[in-house]
Coordinates of all heavy atoms in Angstrom, one line a residue:
M1 N 127.4 55.5 86.1 CA 126.1 54.7 85.9 C 125.0 55.7 85.6 O 124.9 56.7 86.2 CB 125.8 54.0 87.2 CG 124.5 53.2 87.2 SD 124.0 52.3 88.7 CE 125.2 51.0 88.7
T2 N 124.3 55.4 84.5 CA 123.2 56.3 84.1 C 122.1 56.2 85.1 O 121.9 55.2 85.8 CB 122.7 55.9 82.7 OG1 122.1 54.7 82.7 CG2 123.8 56.0 81.7
R3 N 121.2 57.2 85.1 CA 120.1 57.2 86.0 C 119.1 56.0 85.7 O 118.6 55.4 86.6 CB 119.3 58.5 85.9 CG 120.1 59.7 86.5 CD 119.5 61.0 86.1 NE 118.1 61.1 86.4 CZ 117.6 61.8 87.5 NH1 118.4 62.4 88.3 NH2 116.3 61.8 87.7
T4 N 118.9 55.7 84.4 CA 118.0 54.6 84.1 C 118.6 53.3 84.4 O 117.9 52.4 84.9 CB 117.6 54.6 82.6 OG1 118.8 54.7 81.8 CG2 116.7 55.8 82.3
R5 N 119.9 53.2 84.3 CA 120.6 52.0 84.7 C 120.5 51.8 86.2 O 120.3 50.6 86.6 CB 122.1 52.0 84.2 CG 122.8 50.7 84.6 CD 124.1 50.7 83.9 NE 123.7 50.7 82.5 CZ 124.6 50.5 81.5 NH1 125.8 50.2 81.8 NH2 124.2 50.5 80.3
A6 N 120.6 52.8 86.9 CA 120.4 52.7 88.4 C 119.0 52.2 88.7 O 118.8 51.4 89.6 CB 120.7 54.1 89.1
F7 N 118.0 52.7 88.0 CA 116.6 52.3 88.3 C 116.5 50.8 87.9 O 116.0 50.1 88.7 CB 115.7 53.1 87.4 CG 114.2 52.9 87.7 CD1 113.6 53.5 88.7 CD2 113.5 51.9 87.0 CE1 112.3 53.3 89.1 CE2 112.2 51.6 87.4 CZ 111.6 52.3 88.4
S8 N 117.0 50.4 86.8 CA 116.9 49.0 86.4 C 117.6 48.2 87.4 O 117.2 47.1 87.8 CB 117.5 48.9 85.0 OG 117.4 47.5 84.6
G9 N 118.8 48.6 87.8 CA 119.6 47.8 88.8 C 118.9 47.7 90.1 O 118.9 46.7 90.8
A10 N 118.2 48.8 90.5 CA 117.4 48.7 91.8 C 116.3 47.7 91.7 O 116.0 47.0 92.6 CB 116.9 50.1 92.1
L11 N 115.7 47.7 90.5 CA 114.6 46.7 90.4 C 115.0 45.3 90.4 O 114.3 44.4 90.9 CB 113.8 47.0 89.1 CG 112.9 48.2 89.0 CD1 112.3 48.4 87.7 CD2 111.8 48.2 90.1
T12 N 116.2 45.0 89.9 CA 116.7 43.7 89.8 C 117.6 43.3 90.9 O 118.0 42.1 91.0 CB 117.4 43.4 88.5 OG1 118.5 44.3 88.4 CG2 116.5 43.6 87.3
G13 N 117.9 44.2 91.8 CA 118.7 43.9 93.0 C 118.1 42.9 93.9 O 116.9 42.9 94.0
A14 N 118.9 42.2 94.6 CA 118.4 41.2 95.6 C 117.5 41.8 96.7 O 116.6 41.2 97.2 CB 119.5 40.4 96.2
A15 N 117.8 43.0 97.0 CA 117.1 43.7 98.1 C 115.7 44.1 97.7 O 114.9 44.3 98.6 CB 117.9 44.9 98.6
L16 N 115.4 44.2 96.4 CA 114.1 44.6 96.0 C 113.5 43.5 95.2 O 113.6 43.5 94.0 CB 114.2 45.9 95.2 CG 114.0 47.2 95.9 CD1 114.1 48.3 94.9 CD2 112.8 47.3 96.7
L17 N 112.7 42.6 95.8 CA 112.0 41.5 95.0 C 110.8 42.1 94.4 O 110.4 41.7 93.3 CB 111.7 40.4 95.9 CG 112.9 39.6 96.5 CD1 112.4 38.5 97.4 CD2 113.8 39.1 95.4
A18 N 110.2 43.0 95.1 CA 109.0 43.8 94.5 C 109.0 45.1 95.2 O 109.2 45.2 96.4 CB 107.7 43.0 94.8
L19 N 108.7 46.1 94.4 CA 108.6 47.5 95.0 C 107.2 47.7 95.2 O 106.3 47.7 94.3 CB 109.2 48.5 93.9 CG 109.1 49.9 94.3 CD1 110.0 50.2 95.6 CD2 109.7 50.8 93.2
S20 N 106.8 48.0 96.5 CA 105.4 48.2 96.9 C 105.3 49.6 97.5 O 106.0 49.9 98.4 CB 104.9 47.2 97.9 OG 104.9 45.9 97.3
L21 N 104.5 50.4 97.0 CA 104.3 51.8 97.5 C 102.8 52.0 97.7 O 102.0 51.6 96.9 CB 104.8 52.8 96.5 CG 106.2 52.7 96.1 CD1 106.5 53.6 94.9 CD2 107.1 53.1 97.2
A22 N 102.5 52.7 98.8 CA 101.1 53.1 99.0 C 101.0 54.5 98.5 O 101.7 55.4 98.9 CB 100.8 53.1 100.5
L23 N 100.1 54.8 97.6 CA 99.9 56.1 96.9 C 98.5 56.5 97.1 O 97.6 55.8 97.1 CB 100.2 55.9 95.4 CG 101.5 55.2 95.0 CD1 101.5 55.0 93.5 CD2 102.7 56.0 95.4
T24 N 98.4 57.8 97.3 CA 97.1 58.4 97.4 C 96.9 59.4 96.3 O 97.7 60.3 96.1 CB 96.9 59.2 98.8 OG1 97.1 58.2 99.8 CG2 95.5 59.7 98.9
A25 N 95.8 59.2 95.6 CA 95.5 60.1 94.5 C 94.6 61.2 95.0 O 93.4 61.1 95.1 CB 94.8 59.4 93.3
C26 N 95.2 62.4 95.3 CA 94.5 63.5 95.9 C 93.6 64.1 94.8 O 94.1 64.2 93.6 CB 95.4 64.5 96.4 SG 96.4 63.9 97.8
G27 N 92.5 64.5 95.1 CA 91.6 65.2 94.2 C 90.9 64.3 93.2 O 90.2 64.8 92.3
S28 N 91.0 63.0 93.4 CA 90.3 62.1 92.6 C 88.9 61.9 93.1 O 88.6 62.2 94.2 CB 91.0 60.8 92.5 OG 91.0 60.2 93.8
S29 N 88.0 61.3 92.3 CA 86.7 61.0 92.8 C 86.7 59.6 93.2 O 87.6 58.8 93.0 CB 85.6 61.2 91.7 OG 85.7 60.1 90.8
E30 N 85.7 59.2 93.9 CA 85.6 57.8 94.4 C 85.3 56.9 93.2 O 85.4 55.6 93.4 CB 84.5 57.7 95.5 CG 85.0 58.3 96.8 CD 84.1 58.0 98.0 OE1 83.3 57.1 97.9 OE2 84.2 58.8 98.9
D31 N 84.9 57.4 92.1 CA 84.5 56.5 90.9 C 85.8 56.1 90.2 O 85.8 55.0 89.7 CB 83.6 57.3 90.0 CG 82.2 57.6 90.6 OD1 81.8 56.8 91.5 OD2 81.6 58.6 90.3
F32 N 86.7 57.0 90.0 CA 87.9 56.6 89.2 C 89.0 57.7 89.5 O 88.8 58.8 89.9 CB 87.6 56.6 87.7 CG 87.3 57.9 87.1 CD1 88.2 58.6 86.5 CD2 86.0 58.4 87.2 CE1 88.0 59.9 85.9 CE2 85.7 59.6 86.6 CZ 86.7 60.4 86.0
V33 N 90.2 57.3 89.1 CA 91.4 58.2 89.0 C 91.8 58.3 87.6 O 92.0 57.2 86.9 CB 92.5 57.7 89.9 CG1 93.7 58.7 89.9 CG2 92.1 57.4 91.3
Q34 N 91.9 59.5 87.1 CA 92.3 59.6 85.7 C 93.6 59.0 85.4 O 94.5 59.0 86.2 CB 92.3 61.1 85.3 CG 91.0 61.7 85.2 CD 91.0 63.2 84.8 OE1 92.1 63.8 84.8 NE2 89.9 63.7 84.4
E35 N 93.7 58.4 84.2 CA 95.0 57.7 83.8 C 96.2 58.6 84.0 O 97.2 58.1 84.5 CB 94.8 57.3 82.3 CG 96.1 56.7 81.7 CD 95.9 56.5 80.2 OE1 94.8 56.6 79.6 OE2 96.9 56.1 79.6
K36 N 96.2 59.8 83.5 CA 97.4 60.7 83.6 C 97.7 61.0 85.1 O 98.9 61.1 85.4 CB 97.1 62.0 82.9 CG 97.1 61.8 81.4 CD 98.4 61.3 80.9 CE 98.3 61.0 79.4 NZ 99.4 60.2 78.9
T37 N 96.7 61.0 86.0 CA 97.0 61.2 87.4 C 97.7 60.0 88.0 O 98.6 60.1 88.8 CB 95.7 61.5 88.2 OG1 95.1 62.7 87.6 CG2 95.9 61.8 89.6
V38 N 97.2 58.8 87.7 CA 97.8 57.6 88.1 C 99.3 57.5 87.7 O 100.2 57.3 88.5 CB 97.1 56.3 87.7 CG1 97.8 55.1 88.0 CG2 95.7 56.3 88.2
E39 N 99.5 57.8 86.4 CA 100.8 57.8 85.9 C 101.8 58.8 86.5 O 102.9 58.5 86.9 CB 100.8 58.0 84.3 CG 100.1 56.9 83.6 CD 99.9 57.2 82.1 OE1 99.9 58.4 81.7 OE2 99.6 56.3 81.4
R40 N 101.3 60.0 86.7 CA 102.1 61.1 87.4 C 102.4 60.7 88.8 O 103.6 60.8 89.2 CB 101.3 62.4 87.3 CG 102.1 63.6 88.0 CD 101.3 64.8 88.0 NE 99.9 64.7 88.6 CZ 99.7 64.7 89.9 NH1 100.6 64.8 90.7 NH2 98.4 64.6 90.3
I41 N 101.4 60.3 89.6 CA 101.7 60.0 91.0 C 102.6 58.8 91.1 O 103.5 58.8 91.9 CB 100.3 59.8 91.8 CG1 99.6 61.1 91.9 CG2 100.6 59.2 93.1 CD1 98.2 61.0 92.4
A42 N 102.3 57.8 90.4 CA 103.2 56.6 90.4 C 104.6 56.9 90.0 O 105.6 56.4 90.7 CB 102.6 55.4 89.5
T43 N 104.8 57.7 89.0 CA 106.1 58.1 88.6 C 106.9 58.8 89.6 O 108.0 58.6 90.0 CB 106.1 58.9 87.2 OG1 105.6 58.0 86.2 CG2 107.5 59.3 86.8
E44 N 106.2 59.8 90.3 CA 106.7 60.6 91.3 C 107.2 59.7 92.5 O 108.3 59.8 93.1 CB 105.7 61.6 91.8 CG 105.5 62.8 90.9 CD 104.4 63.7 91.3 OE1 103.8 63.5 92.4 OE2 104.1 64.6 90.5
Q45 N 106.3 58.8 92.9 CA 106.6 57.9 94.0 C 107.7 56.9 93.7 O 108.5 56.6 94.6 CB 105.3 57.2 94.5 CG 104.3 58.2 95.1 CD 104.8 58.9 96.3 OE1 105.5 58.4 97.1 NE2 104.5 60.2 96.4
L46 N 107.7 56.4 92.5 CA 108.8 55.5 92.1 C 110.1 56.2 92.1 O 111.1 55.7 92.6 CB 108.5 54.9 90.7 CG 107.5 53.8 90.7 CD1 107.1 53.6 89.2 CD2 107.9 52.5 91.3
T47 N 110.1 57.5 91.6 CA 111.3 58.3 91.6 C 111.8 58.5 93.1 O 113.0 58.4 93.4 CB 111.1 59.6 90.9 OG1 110.7 59.3 89.6 CG2 112.3 60.5 90.9
N48 N 110.9 58.9 94.0 CA 111.2 59.1 95.4 C 111.8 57.8 96.0 O 112.7 57.9 96.8 CB 110.0 59.6 96.2 CG 109.7 61.0 95.8 OD1 110.4 61.8 95.2 ND2 108.4 61.4 96.0
A49 N 111.2 56.7 95.7 CA 111.6 55.4 96.3 C 112.9 54.9 95.8 O 113.8 54.4 96.6 CB 110.5 54.4 96.1
V50 N 113.2 55.0 94.5 CA 114.4 54.5 93.9 C 115.5 55.5 93.7 O 116.6 55.2 93.6 CB 114.0 53.8 92.6 CG1 115.2 53.2 91.9 CG2 112.9 52.7 92.8
G51 N 115.1 56.8 93.6 CA 116.0 57.8 93.3 C 116.3 58.1 91.8 O 117.2 58.8 91.5
V52 N 115.6 57.4 91.0 CA 115.7 57.6 89.5 C 114.3 57.6 88.9 O 113.4 56.9 89.3 CB 116.5 56.4 89.0 CG1 116.6 56.5 87.5 CG2 117.9 56.3 89.6
T53 N 114.2 58.5 87.9 CA 112.9 58.6 87.2 C 112.8 57.6 86.1 O 113.8 57.5 85.3 CB 112.8 60.0 86.7 OG1 112.9 61.0 87.7 CG2 111.4 60.2 86.0
P54 N 111.8 56.8 86.0 CA 111.6 55.9 84.9 C 111.5 56.7 83.6 O 111.0 57.8 83.6 CB 110.3 55.1 85.2 CG 109.7 55.8 86.4 CD 110.7 56.7 87.0
E55 N 111.9 56.1 82.5 CA 111.7 56.7 81.2 C 110.3 57.0 80.9 O 109.9 58.0 80.3 CB 112.3 55.8 80.1 CG 113.8 55.7 80.1 CD 114.4 54.6 79.2 OE1 113.7 54.3 78.2 OE2 115.4 54.1 79.5
D56 N 109.4 56.0 81.2 CA 108.0 56.1 80.9 C 107.2 55.2 81.8 O 107.7 54.2 82.2 CB 107.8 55.7 79.4 CG 106.4 56.0 78.9 OD1 105.8 57.0 79.3 OD2 105.8 55.1 78.2
L57 N 106.0 55.6 82.1 CA 105.0 54.7 82.8 C 103.7 54.9 82.0 O 103.2 56.0 82.0 CB 104.9 55.1 84.2 CG 103.9 54.2 85.0 CD1 104.4 52.8 85.1 CD2 103.6 54.8 86.4
D58 N 103.2 53.9 81.4 CA 102.0 53.9 80.6 C 100.9 53.0 81.1 O 101.1 51.8 81.2 CB 102.4 53.5 79.1 CG 101.2 53.7 78.2 OD1 100.4 54.6 78.4 OD2 101.0 52.8 77.3
C59 N 99.8 53.6 81.5 CA 98.7 52.8 82.1 C 97.6 52.7 81.0 O 97.5 53.6 80.1 CB 98.1 53.5 83.3 SG 99.3 53.5 84.7
P60 N 96.8 51.7 81.0 CA 95.9 51.4 79.9 C 94.6 52.3 80.0 O 93.8 52.2 79.1 CB 95.5 49.9 80.1 CG 95.7 49.7 81.5 CD 96.9 50.5 81.9
G61 N 94.4 53.0 81.1 CA 93.2 53.8 81.2 C 93.0 54.3 82.6 O 93.9 54.3 83.4
D62 N 91.8 54.9 82.9 CA 91.5 55.3 84.2 C 91.4 54.2 85.2 O 91.1 53.0 84.8 CB 90.2 56.1 84.2 CG 90.2 57.3 83.3 OD1 91.2 57.9 83.1 OD2 89.1 57.8 83.0
L63 N 91.8 54.4 86.4 CA 91.7 53.4 87.5 C 90.4 53.5 88.2 O 90.1 54.6 88.8 CB 92.9 53.6 88.5 CG 93.0 52.7 89.7 CD1 93.3 51.3 89.2 CD2 94.1 53.2 90.6
E64 N 89.6 52.5 88.2 CA 88.4 52.5 88.9 C 88.6 52.6 90.4 O 89.4 51.9 91.0 CB 87.6 51.2 88.6 CG 86.2 51.1 89.3 CD 85.5 49.8 89.0 OE1 86.0 48.9 88.3 OE2 84.3 49.7 89.5
G65 N 87.8 53.5 91.1 CA 88.0 53.7 92.5 C 87.2 52.7 93.3 O 86.3 53.1 94.0
K66 N 87.6 51.4 93.2 CA 86.9 50.4 93.9 C 88.0 49.5 94.5 O 88.9 49.0 93.8 CB 86.0 49.6 93.0 CG 85.3 48.4 93.6 CD 84.5 47.7 92.5 CE 83.8 46.4 93.1 NZ 83.2 45.6 92.1
V67 N 87.9 49.2 95.8 CA 88.9 48.4 96.5 C 89.0 47.0 95.8 O 88.0 46.4 95.4 CB 88.5 48.2 98.0 CG1 89.5 47.2 98.7 CG2 88.5 49.5 98.8
G68 N 90.3 46.7 95.5 CA 90.6 45.4 94.9 C 90.8 45.6 93.4 O 91.2 44.6 92.7
T69 N 90.4 46.7 92.8 CA 90.6 46.9 91.4 C 92.1 46.9 91.1 O 92.9 47.4 91.8 CB 90.1 48.3 90.9 OG1 88.6 48.3 91.1 CG2 90.4 48.6 89.5
E70 N 92.4 46.2 90.0 CA 93.9 46.1 89.6 C 94.0 46.3 88.1 O 93.1 46.0 87.4 CB 94.3 44.6 89.9 CG 95.8 44.4 89.7 CD 96.2 42.9 90.1 OE1 96.2 42.7 91.3 OE2 96.4 42.1 89.2
M71 N 95.1 47.0 87.8 CA 95.4 47.2 86.4 C 97.0 47.1 86.3 O 97.7 47.4 87.2 CB 94.9 48.5 85.8 CG 95.6 49.7 86.1 SD 94.9 51.1 85.2 CE 95.6 52.4 86.0
T72 N 97.4 46.7 85.1 CA 98.8 46.6 84.8 C 99.3 47.7 83.9 O 98.8 47.7 82.8 CB 99.2 45.2 84.3 OG1 98.7 44.2 85.2 CG2 100.7 45.0 84.0
C73 N 100.2 48.5 84.4 CA 100.8 49.5 83.5 C 102.1 49.0 83.1 O 102.6 48.0 83.6 CB 101.0 50.8 84.4 SG 99.5 51.4 85.1
V74 N 102.7 49.7 82.1 CA 104.1 49.3 81.6 C 105.1 50.4 82.0 O 104.9 51.5 81.6 CB 104.0 49.1 80.1 CG1 105.4 48.7 79.6 CG2 103.0 48.0 79.7
L75 N 106.1 50.0 82.7 CA 107.1 50.9 83.1 C 108.3 50.6 82.2 O 108.7 49.5 82.0 CB 107.5 50.6 84.6 CG 108.6 51.5 85.2 CD1 108.3 51.7 86.7 CD2 109.9 50.9 85.0
T76 N 109.0 51.7 81.7 CA 110.1 51.5 80.9 C 111.3 52.2 81.5 O 111.3 53.3 82.0 CB 109.9 52.2 79.5 OG1 108.7 51.6 78.9 CG2 111.1 51.9 78.6
S77 N 112.4 51.4 81.6 CA 113.7 51.9 82.2 C 114.8 51.3 81.4 O 114.9 50.0 81.2 CB 113.8 51.5 83.6 OG 115.0 51.9 84.2
E78 N 115.7 52.1 80.9 CA 116.8 51.7 80.0 C 116.4 50.8 78.9 O 117.0 49.8 78.6 CB 117.9 51.0 80.9 CG 119.2 51.0 80.3 CD 120.3 50.4 81.2 OE1 120.2 49.2 81.4 OE2 121.1 51.2 81.6
G79 N 115.3 51.1 78.3 CA 114.8 50.3 77.2 C 114.1 49.0 77.6 O 113.5 48.4 76.7
E80 N 114.2 48.6 78.8 CA 113.5 47.4 79.3 C 112.1 47.8 79.8 O 111.9 48.8 80.4 CB 114.3 46.8 80.5 CG 115.7 46.3 80.1 CD 115.7 45.1 79.2 OE1 114.8 44.3 79.4 OE2 116.6 44.9 78.4
K81 N 111.2 46.9 79.6 CA 109.8 47.1 80.0 C 109.5 46.2 81.2 O 109.9 45.0 81.2 CB 108.8 46.8 78.9 CG 109.0 47.8 77.7 CD 107.9 47.8 76.7 CE 108.2 48.7 75.6 NZ 108.2 50.1 75.9
Y82 N 108.8 46.8 82.2 CA 108.4 46.0 83.4 C 106.9 46.2 83.6 O 106.4 47.3 83.4 CB 109.2 46.6 84.6 CG 110.7 46.5 84.6 CD1 111.4 47.5 83.9 CD2 111.3 45.4 85.1 CE1 112.8 47.4 83.8 CE2 112.7 45.3 85.0 CZ 113.4 46.3 84.4 OH 114.8 46.2 84.3
D83 N 106.3 45.2 84.2 CA 104.9 45.3 84.6 C 104.9 46.2 85.9 O 105.7 45.9 86.8 CB 104.3 44.0 84.9 CG 103.9 43.2 83.7 OD1 103.8 43.8 82.6 OD2 103.8 41.9 83.8
A84 N 104.0 47.1 85.9 CA 103.8 47.9 87.2 C 102.3 47.7 87.5 O 101.4 48.1 86.9 CB 104.1 49.4 86.9
I85 N 102.1 46.9 88.5 CA 100.7 46.4 88.9 C 100.2 47.4 90.0 O 100.7 47.5 91.1 CB 100.8 45.0 89.4 CG1 101.4 44.1 88.3 CG2 99.3 44.5 89.8 CD1 101.9 42.8 88.9
I86 N 99.1 48.1 89.6 CA 98.4 49.1 90.4 C 97.2 48.4 91.0 O 96.4 47.8 90.3 CB 98.0 50.3 89.6 CG1 99.1 50.9 88.8 CG2 97.3 51.3 90.5 CD1 100.1 51.7 89.5
T87 N 97.1 48.5 92.4 CA 95.9 47.9 93.0 C 95.3 48.9 94.0 O 96.0 49.4 94.9 CB 96.4 46.6 93.8 OG1 97.1 45.7 93.0 CG2 95.2 45.9 94.4
V88 N 94.0 49.1 93.9 CA 93.3 50.0 94.8 C 93.1 49.3 96.2 O 92.6 48.1 96.2 CB 91.9 50.4 94.3 CG1 91.2 51.2 95.3 CG2 92.1 51.2 93.0
D89 N 93.6 49.9 97.3 CA 93.4 49.2 98.6 C 92.5 50.0 99.5 O 92.2 49.5 100.6 CB 94.8 48.9 99.2 CG 95.6 50.1 99.6 OD1 95.2 51.2 99.3 OD2 96.6 49.9 100.2
D90 N 92.1 51.3 99.2 CA 91.2 52.0 100.0 C 90.6 53.1 99.2 O 91.2 53.8 98.4 CB 92.0 52.6 101.2 CG 91.1 53.3 102.2 OD1 90.1 52.7 102.7 OD2 91.4 54.5 102.6
V91 N 89.3 53.4 99.5 CA 88.6 54.5 98.9 C 87.8 55.2 100.1 O 86.9 54.6 100.6 CB 87.6 54.0 97.8 CG1 86.9 55.2 97.3 CG2 88.3 53.3 96.8
T92 N 88.3 56.4 100.4 CA 87.7 57.1 101.6 C 87.6 58.6 101.3 O 88.7 59.2 100.9 CB 88.5 56.8 102.9 OG1 88.7 55.5 103.1 CG2 87.8 57.5 104.1
G93 N 86.5 59.2 101.5 CA 86.4 60.6 101.5 C 86.9 61.3 100.2 O 87.5 62.3 100.2
G94 N 86.5 60.7 99.1 CA 86.9 61.2 97.8 C 88.4 60.9 97.4 O 88.8 61.5 96.4
R95 N 89.1 60.1 98.1 CA 90.4 59.8 97.8 C 90.6 58.3 97.6 O 90.0 57.5 98.3 CB 91.4 60.2 99.0 CG 91.5 61.7 99.1 CD 92.5 62.0 100.2 NE 92.5 63.4 100.4 CZ 93.6 64.1 100.6 NH1 94.8 63.5 100.8 NH2 93.6 65.4 100.7
V96 N 91.3 58.0 96.5 CA 91.6 56.6 96.2 C 93.0 56.3 96.5 O 93.9 57.0 96.0 CB 91.3 56.4 94.7 CG1 91.7 54.9 94.3 CG2 89.9 56.7 94.3
R97 N 93.3 55.3 97.4 CA 94.6 54.9 97.7 C 95.0 53.7 97.0 O 94.2 52.7 97.0 CB 94.7 54.7 99.3 CG 96.1 54.4 99.8 CD 96.0 54.4 101.3 NE 97.4 54.2 101.8 CZ 97.9 53.1 102.2 NH1 97.3 52.0 102.1 NH2 99.1 53.1 102.7
F98 N 96.2 53.7 96.4 CA 96.5 52.5 95.6 C 98.0 52.1 95.8 O 98.8 53.0 96.2 CB 96.2 52.6 94.1 CG 96.8 53.8 93.5 CD1 98.1 53.8 92.9 CD2 96.1 55.0 93.4 CE1 98.6 54.9 92.2 CE2 96.6 56.1 92.7 CZ 97.9 56.0 92.2
N99 N 98.3 50.9 95.6 CA 99.7 50.4 95.7 C 100.2 50.1 94.3 O 99.4 49.8 93.4 CB 99.7 49.0 96.5 CG 99.4 49.2 98.0 OD1 99.9 50.1 98.6 ND2 98.6 48.3 98.5
I100 N 101.5 50.2 94.2 CA 102.2 49.8 92.9 C 103.2 48.8 93.2 O 104.1 49.0 94.1 CB 102.7 51.0 92.2 CG1 103.4 50.6 90.9 CG2 103.7 51.8 93.0 CD1 103.7 51.7 89.9
D101 N 103.2 47.7 92.5 CA 104.2 46.6 92.7 C 104.9 46.5 91.3 O 104.2 46.4 90.3 CB 103.5 45.2 93.0 CG 102.9 45.2 94.4 OD1 103.5 45.8 95.3 OD2 101.9 44.6 94.6
V102 N 106.2 46.5 91.4 CA 107.0 46.3 90.2 C 107.9 45.1 90.4 O 108.9 45.2 91.0 CB 107.9 47.6 89.9 CG1 108.7 47.4 88.6 CG2 107.0 48.8 89.8
P103 N 107.5 44.0 89.8 CA 108.3 42.8 89.9 C 109.7 43.0 89.2 O 109.7 43.8 88.3 CB 107.5 41.7 89.2 CG 106.1 42.2 89.2 CD 106.2 43.7 89.2
P104 N 110.7 42.4 89.6 CA 112.1 42.7 89.1 C 112.4 42.2 87.7 O 113.4 42.6 87.1 CB 113.0 42.1 90.1 CG 112.2 40.9 90.7 CD 110.8 41.4 90.7
N105 N 111.5 41.4 87.2 CA 111.9 40.8 85.8 C 111.2 41.6 84.7 O 110.0 42.0 84.8 CB 111.4 39.4 85.8 CG 112.0 38.5 86.8 OD1 113.2 38.7 87.1 ND2 111.3 37.6 87.3
A106 N 112.0 41.9 83.7 CA 111.5 42.6 82.5 C 110.5 41.7 81.8 O 110.6 40.5 81.8 CB 112.6 43.0 81.6
T107 N 109.5 42.4 81.2 CA 108.5 41.6 80.4 C 109.0 41.4 79.0 O 110.0 42.1 78.6 CB 107.2 42.4 80.4 OG1 107.4 43.7 79.7 CG2 106.6 42.6 81.7
E108 N 108.4 40.5 78.3 CA 108.8 40.2 77.0 C 108.3 41.2 76.0 O 107.3 41.7 76.1 CB 108.3 38.8 76.6 CG 108.9 37.7 77.4 CD 110.4 37.6 77.4 OE1 111.0 37.7 76.3 OE2 111.1 37.4 78.4

């Protein structure tokens, strides 16, 4: 089984209806987290959680450091694209903490 196939299988498996991770963007400001930082941290945490590195994670821009802010990134695994929904849940002391949810269904 290829690494990307394992990732895709983990996302669509019955045990994982949605992958939720709490991530902290260290070194970010309370105003925003740079797009590349969000992508890097989310990719690292997804890899740690699933055991497979996604082919790509593309976010549309910087993440505003405001509780409740949400943006949808596109995660690619084995050629399939998935929504990766990033939501800010805490901003404290110059750190922005966010969750990532990856629903198991590929997007069109």
Side-chain angles (χ1 to χ4, degrees):
M1 177 180 289
T2 66
R3 290 168 53 103
T4 53
R5 180 165 300 189
F7 186 87
S8 180
L11 285 177
T12 57
L16 270 182
L17 297 179
L19 179 60
S20 297
L21 301 169
L23 312 173
T24 301
C26 299
S28 64
S29 77
E30 290 187 18
D31 295 330
F32 69 94
V33 181
Q34 292 181 343
E35 174 183 354
K36 293 297 178 193
T37 301
V38 173
E39 292 170 347
R40 179 183 54 79
I41 291 171
T43 297
E44 288 171 3
Q45 294 299 321
L46 286 166
T47 300
N48 290 338
V50 179
V52 177
T53 303
E55 292 168 24
D56 188 38
L57 180 67
D58 183 36
C59 294
D62 296 339
L63 178 65
E64 183 181 2
K66 180 180 174 187
V67 174
T69 297
E70 183 177 289
M71 78 173 168
T72 301
C73 302
V74 177
L75 181 148
T76 305
S77 176
E78 199 177 70
E80 298 287 332
K81 296 191 182 298
Y82 299 85
D83 286 339
I85 303 161
I86 308 281
T87 307
V88 175
D89 67 354
D90 185 50
V91 180
T92 306
R95 291 183 182 218
V96 176
R97 184 173 187 263
F98 55 90
N99 291 317
I100 180 168
D101 292 323
V102 181
N105 299 325
T107 61
E108 298 299 318

